[in-house]
Amino acid sequence: MQRLMIADGSDVVRKVGKRILSEIGFLVAEAASADEAMSRCETDLPAILIVDAGLEGALGLIQNVRALPNGKGVRIFYCVIEADLKKMMLGKRAGANDFLLKPFDRKILTAVFGAFVVAPA
């Protein structure tokens, strides 16, 4: 089962994301702050990291994860509320692979992350 982490200050966003992504086959961890996410990444690096652009220290978190051993292999999604090109470019420069628009729902998460689910052997 692939590990995925949601770093978002909103309990509701984390819980909804965790429920949907767990149902499609991910082992989901949650972090309410950039510091908590970084601490968890240092001990158990996820395959996929979803980082809310509104999280204090979000860009630093992305850069720090990239600097970890094997950090370049993490697929990082930067969550934005609207298609704000300036904010998206900051995320890309920090090391994000892709973007997600919030609020997300089951249809969006299943479409985006369904391709990353690894079938059990």
Side-chain angles (χ1 to χ4, degrees):
M1 199 174 261
Q2 275 209 87
R3 290 186 315 279
L4 179 147
M5 182 186 298
I6 301 170
D8 195 299
S10 166
D11 288 342
V12 173
V13 169
R14 290 193 319 272
K15 298 290 181 226
V16 168
K18 181 175 185 171
R19 187 178 66 243
I20 295 167
L21 293 165
S22 294
E23 287 172 5
I24 64 170
F26 286 98
L27 182 60
V28 182
E30 301 176 48
S33 70
D35 288 342
E36 181 184 356
M38 192 61 208
S39 176
R40 288 175 178 250
C41 284
E42 288 170 341
T43 55
D44 198 11
L45 194 63
I48 299 171
L49 176 61
I50 299 172
V51 179
D52 178 42
L55 189 69
E56 187 176 330
L59 296 173
L61 170 61
I62 294 169
Q63 291 169 329
N64 291 335
V65 167
R66 287 290 182 229
L68 289 172
N70 302 318
K72 299 230 183 301
V74 177
R75 183 125 186 123
I76 300 176
F77 287 82
Y78 194 52
C79 277
V80 292
I81 293 173
E82 59 187 353
D84 177 339
L85 195 58
K86 184 178 178 189
K87 191 174 275 192
M88 291 168 79
M89 288 312 299
L90 288 171
K92 193 75 168 166
R93 281 192 209 108
N97 298 96
D98 218 331
F99 305 95
L100 273 178
L101 282 176
K102 280 174 63 175
F104 41 69
D105 59 19
R106 180 176 305 281
K107 185 177 176 185
I108 291 169
L109 291 178
T110 302
V112 171
F113 295 102
F116 294 105
V117 176
V118 177

